[in-house]
Amino acid sequence: NVYEIMSKPALCVSPDMNIKYCARLFERFSISRAPVVENGQVIGMVSYNNIVIKGMVLDVDEDLAEG
């Protein structure tokens, strides 16, 4: 059954969670993705790759704003 092969613990994140906190959560529990839940409904998925790419975009935007 799925329980035997799924990642544990099963974690979900909220859409307004801080991106850096979410990355730390993924690192701490060795997970690569989690459902995004709002009002008890899954509204999407976030992955470690999403976080890395978003972080890279934020870094580029900050560099452009500074210089």
Side-chain angles (χ1 to χ4, degrees):
N1 88 36
V2 174
Y3 180 81
E4 295 171 2
I5 61 170
M6 69 181 228
S7 298
K8 297 171 196 78
L11 300 175
C12 62
V13 298
S14 68
D16 58 348
M17 179 180 280
N18 180 285
I19 293 171
K20 289 180 183 179
Y21 179 76
C22 186
R24 281 189 230 122
L25 191 68
F26 280 25
E27 186 68 28
R28 179 169 183 194
F29 290 100
S30 299
I31 60 173
S32 59
R33 63 186 52 84
V36 180
V37 176
E38 185 174 49
N39 300 322
Q41 298 289 318
V42 175
I43 61 170
M45 292 289 290
V46 65
S47 71
Y48 196 78
N49 288 342
N50 294 138
I51 293 170
V52 170
I53 291 168
K54 182 68 173 177
M56 290 163 65
V57 169
L58 291 175
D59 287 346
V60 169
D61 289 345
E62 288 174 6
D63 290 345
L64 291 174
E66 291 174 0

